[in-house]
Amino acid sequence: EDQVTQSPEALRLQEGESSSLNCSYTVSGLRGLFWYRQDPGKGPEFLFTLYSAGEEKEKERLKATLTKKESFLHITAPKPEDSATYLCALSNDYKLSFGAGTTVTVRA
Amino acid sequence: DVKVTQSSRYLVKRTGEKVFLECVQDMDHENMFWYRQDPGLGLRLIYFSYDVKMKEKGDIPEGYSVSREKKERFSLILESASTNQTSMYLCASSTSGRGGELFFGEGSRLTVL
């Protein structure tokens, strides 16, 4: 059965303090690994899709990477506006299976 | 921009009431989904639909039903609401085929007393 595990559950950072979030997965055949950002009280917002090991994608201070067993979301020099819950998800046929998320708090 | 609109942001219902959550998308997407989100459990799929009048059970369909009479609209129905259905409900849509990104609505927070 496909499985997605995110760590840590919560991450508190000082502004400018770079860090990484982990998404470990097991899947029979990877069709896509997705990253979403979710602000409190709102729906998830799409960030990236990765399809094969070695692939990397960047958007502003965020960079997602993929290996055969895990994906990392690197946050470089974060700002308070990067505070959110970050979700990773596996594509399983039509649907996505989500991890529980990592809540990131960036203090000024 | 894709827009997925959920009819109610906040609802308060009593145990045993019938509850309708409506979702409309404006991008002609074939696939639509209902998830619920609870602290520590993440998003769990309730039902999805890949075509009009088609529906498939997700991981937690018990206590729920759905309706998709038109391509743009996907409704989630709680026949007899219970307190353990208090949750954030998220509707999403995606283009045809498998493996596409989901576009989410703002969510409907349901409280069942």
Side-chain angles (χ1 to χ4, degrees):
Chain A
E1 184 180 320
D2 298 350
Q3 207 158 11
V4 183
T5 305
Q6 291 189 248
S7 62
E9 288 185 20
L11 191 59
R12 294 175 66 86
L13 301 172
Q14 201 67 35
E15 184 172 4
E17 178 188 0
S18 301
S19 189
S20 296
L21 285 56
N22 178 265
C23 173
S24 298
Y25 66 90
T26 55
V27 65
S28 53
L30 182 65
R31 292 190 180 89
L33 187 293
F34 295 74
W35 283 98
Y36 282 81
R37 170 193 170 122
Q38 186 176 24
D39 293 308
K42 295 199 171 184
E45 179 183 335
F46 171 76
L47 291 173
F48 305 109
T49 311
L50 302 167
Y51 291 104
S52 57
E55 190 174 358
E56 298 182 352
K57 288 198 176 168
E58 285 188 70
K59 180 179 180 178
E60 296 181 359
R61 294 175 294 281
L62 300 177
K63 179 180 177 180
T65 61
L66 183 67
T67 72
K68 289 186 178 179
K69 293 183 179 180
E70 55 193 354
S71 178
F72 292 94
L73 185 66
H74 307 278
I75 310 179
T76 302
K79 298 182 178 182
E81 53 262 42
D82 295 321
S83 297
T85 296
Y86 292 87
L87 304 168
C88 91
L90 276 179
S91 176
N92 180 350
D93 207 0
Y94 290 98
K95 59 185 180 168
L96 296 185
S97 298
F98 284 83
T102 295
T103 299
V104 174
T105 305
V106 183
R107 295 165 291 175
Chain B
D1 280 352
V2 174
K3 193 165 176 72
V4 179
T5 303
Q6 295 184 229
S7 56
S8 304
R9 290 297 311 277
Y10 301 96
L11 301 94
V12 180
K13 298 292 182 181
R14 296 209 174 270
T15 301
E17 280 192 80
K18 192 168 185 176
V19 181
F20 291 89
L21 299 179
E22 303 281 337
C23 175
V24 177
Q25 51 94 3
D26 66 358
M27 282 301 291
D28 203 34
H29 284 171
E30 283 72 19
N31 304 328
M32 295 190 75
F33 306 81
W34 277 106
Y35 285 84
R36 66 176 280 178
Q37 184 175 30
D38 301 288
L41 296 177
L43 277 78
R44 293 178 291 167
L45 182 64
I46 305 171
Y47 268 97
F48 67 101
S49 168
Y50 53 87
D51 201 355
V52 176
K53 297 193 185 293
M54 303 299 290
K55 61 184 178 183
E56 293 283 341
K57 292 181 180 180
D59 300 316
I60 52 163
E62 296 78 19
Y64 303 94
S65 62
V66 290
S67 172
R68 191 158 182 211
E69 296 296 320
K70 293 185 178 181
K71 189 176 185 180
E72 67 271 17
R73 188 179 297 269
F74 193 35
S75 302
L76 180 69
I77 303 152
L78 288 66
E79 293 289 342
S80 178
S82 63
T83 55
N84 63 13
Q85 292 177 311
T86 292
S87 186
M88 169 71 94
Y89 290 88
L90 290 161
C91 175
S93 70
S94 69
T95 57
S96 64
R98 297 167 168 83
E101 70 184 79
L102 269 59
F103 296 87
F104 283 88
E106 294 278 89
S108 298
R109 182 162 294 281
L110 172 66
T111 301
V112 183
L113 302 175

